[in-house]
Amino acid sequence: MYHLFLHSQLDYRRDIMFTAVLVLMSVSGINGWTDTKVRRFRDNFLFGAATSAYQVEGGWDVDDKGENIWDRFLHEHPGVVADGRNGDVACDSYHKYQRDVEMLRELGVDHYRFSISWSRILPTGFSNEINEKGLEYYDNLIDELLKYDIKPMITLFHFDLPQTLQDLGGWANPLSVEWFEDYARVVFEKFGAKVKYWITINQPNSICVDGYGGIEFAPAVGSSGVGDYLCIKNVLLAHAKAYRLYEEEYKAKYKGSVGISLSVNWADSYDNKTENIESTDLYREFTIGLYMNPIWSKEGDFPAVVKKRVLQRSLEQGYRKSRLPEFSSDEIILLKGSADFLGANHYTTTLVKKAEKRFPSPSIDDDMGVELSQRSEWKTSQSSWLRSAPYGLYKMSIHINKVYDYPPVFITEHGWSTMRGLKDSSRVKILRDYFNALLFAIEDGTDVKGYTAWSLMDNIEWTAGSSERFGLYEVNFDSKEKTRKARLSALVYKRIIEERIVEENWKPDNLNISITKRKKYVKVEL
């Protein structure tokens, strides 16, 4: 069933109301029509939770682990962390992984998305020196998950490049494509028989635009408009090389699936002015199309409008050619179709209008020429950038269906930040609102295989430290044991997993949580 109010030319005022519409449609009349349908997640829909290595593991220099760019960046610039807490110890999951798995059992999830620290298993970054102690840690974690029928979903790279490779240029160096392929081979060889779900790289935009274009995210290169574009090309090629490696040497044997996790937040026009609608379309191509087009579009390559825009601005700035590097014909072929699923990291929605000011040049901001905002009535989180707009998840889903022909999707991250405290009612509301939006997206054809909550527990949120809490479980970072306690949201999530529906008014009797026998569901085939 297609919801007709979304398939006409909506003005922005209707978007304001869409969050409420998604929640109210099942219980109230809209334009004389009452929908009392109870929407349900199918039995083979996979629910999970996520973390990443630097953010939870700790043990930054134990058992022969090598230094990574976040170790170096936060040690040399401790002042950039909001509360001064870095990932040296974090949640100490390196020693407490069994408690982490126990929490997953309490929730009743189907899968656990975690990342491997490249420098923990390859201390120099290169595959000639393999750290067996690092491999043993991940082997133990995987076995603990499989013991309880929890599927490992491994991310090969989640922001923490070995510092030795960064010293050679990192992702701006074309050789990084080979370095990543070699690293992927080590991991596939070791864990391919046990792991069926793989994510090559998490959020290329954060790696490249923030890390190589900016100065507040490791490795803080500060080469906006040049280094970030070099990084984007190499990261996408590295993904494709790892995908083809698995496809050619491991897929027939192990029958796993390999995807990539991209940031797919939604963007809407600030108003109905033509210039702002056009600016919004351009912004989407720079933030979604730049990463999805090479893999999922029929033509491949970077979006034509992005190539045209960067070339035009580059020539105006005195460059002899575009600052956006080109893909060769062979590279376009390599990238096209190089994913079994899209890992969608979705958090929020922004409003876009044509910029009335000029940005520093060269830069991606200057290439886009847009200004961003969010509606004041959208609920705010502990993070300045994160506001609740559940309708954006629906509209993002419809967009990728239309533009990229219904790719299989895992929601690989979605979450909400709060302050400390176990009674996180705001996270509960956001969880329910976004699940309602997701159910509408599934009903309207989006091929969503599963959902992964960010995050299993409070962790080190990069330069925010522990000042922004995303966990279903609260972590006491001041305690020696790094004690984890279930929040209200953990019990609500557990209930949704068990019942497969969103119950707006359900409340637990208390915050006690225990392990229950997990139901068996039909295996997902991608």
Side-chain angles (χ1 to χ4, degrees), residues 130-372:
I130 299 175
N131 181 17
E132 294 299 329
K133 293 178 182 177
L135 289 176
E136 182 181 4
Y137 165 69
Y138 294 111
D139 205 29
N140 290 338
L141 172 56
I142 291 168
D143 285 346
E144 187 76 2
L145 291 167
L146 294 176
K147 183 195 303 184
Y148 299 107
D149 196 27
I150 300 171
K151 300 172 178 62
M153 178 181 281
I154 288 182
T155 305
L156 293 175
F157 181 75
H158 198 126
F159 302 167
D160 49 354
L161 191 71
Q163 184 61 44
T164 50
L165 301 185
Q166 185 57 45
D167 292 340
L168 298 174
W171 290 111
N173 186 335
L175 292 176
S176 60
V177 177
E178 297 178 18
W179 303 337
F180 185 73
E181 183 182 17
D182 289 344
Y183 160 58
R185 185 185 298 275
V186 172
V187 179
F188 290 153
E189 283 286 344
K190 179 65 178 180
F191 303 122
K194 297 180 180 180
V195 177
K196 304 306 178 186
Y197 295 101
W198 297 93
I199 294 165
T200 54
I201 291 170
N202 184 72
Q203 286 188 197
N205 68 309
S206 296
I207 298 165
C208 300
V209 178
D210 297 334
Y212 286 76
I215 59 173
E216 297 181 352
F217 197 88
V221 174
S223 178
S224 185
V226 178
D228 38 22
Y229 286 135
L230 293 174
C231 172
I232 290 169
K233 177 184 178 180
N234 292 332
V235 163
L236 289 176
L237 289 175
H239 151 77
K241 279 286 191 178
Y243 177 86
R244 300 302 179 195
L245 171 66
Y246 188 90
E247 181 183 50
E248 294 167 7
E249 299 188 23
Y250 303 98
K251 195 173 187 68
K253 184 176 181 180
Y254 297 130
K255 297 178 172 54
S257 299
V258 181
I260 182 172
S261 284
L262 304 178
S263 175
V264 285
N265 291 318
W266 183 240
D268 260 331
S269 178
Y270 181 81
D271 56 26
N272 276 340
K273 292 180 179 179
T274 300
E275 63 180 13
N276 292 335
I277 293 173
E278 292 174 348
S279 292
T280 303
D281 290 339
L282 180 66
Y283 178 78
R284 289 178 193 149
E285 293 288 17
F286 268 91
T287 57
I288 297 177
L290 192 62
Y291 308 97
M292 287 197 68
N293 258 54
I295 300 172
W296 281 279
S297 72
K298 293 179 181 179
E299 301 79 13
D301 205 352
F302 290 130
V305 67
V306 174
K307 294 198 295 181
K308 180 179 178 181
R309 181 79 171 210
V310 180
L311 174 61
Q312 176 186 350
R313 294 294 294 129
S314 298
L315 296 177
E316 291 171 356
Q317 293 155 356
Y319 292 89
R320 293 174 51 220
K321 62 179 182 179
S322 177
R323 289 175 279 104
L324 179 67
E326 296 180 352
F327 287 122
S328 69
S329 57
D330 288 342
E331 289 169 341
I332 290 173
I333 293 170
L334 177 74
L335 272 160
K336 282 180 63 176
S338 62
D340 298 317
F341 61 89
L342 165 65
N345 294 353
H346 180 89
Y347 286 89
T348 193
T349 292
T350 54
L351 303 176
V352 183
K353 65 179 180 180
K354 185 177 181 179
E356 297 178 358
K357 62 179 182 179
R358 296 302 295 264
F359 295 93
S361 174
S363 68
I364 289 182
D365 287 339
D366 182 62
D367 292 337
M368 291 188 293
V370 303
E371 294 182 16
L372 306 178

Side-chain angles (χ1 to χ4, degrees), residues 1-2 7 292 296-298 339-342 394 396-410 440-449 526:
M1 178 182 67
Y2 280 80
H7 290 269
M292 287 197 68
W296 281 279
S297 72
K298 293 179 181 179
D340 298 317
F341 61 89
L342 165 65
Y394 177 91
M396 177 277 293
S397 300
I398 299 305
H399 174 78
I400 64 171
N401 290 347
K402 178 181 178 181
V403 177
Y404 300 108
D405 195 24
Y406 297 82
V409 177
F410 266 100
F440 276 110
I442 293 171
E443 182 174 358
D444 281 1
T446 309
D447 186 13
V448 185
K449 305 296 184 182
L526 289 179

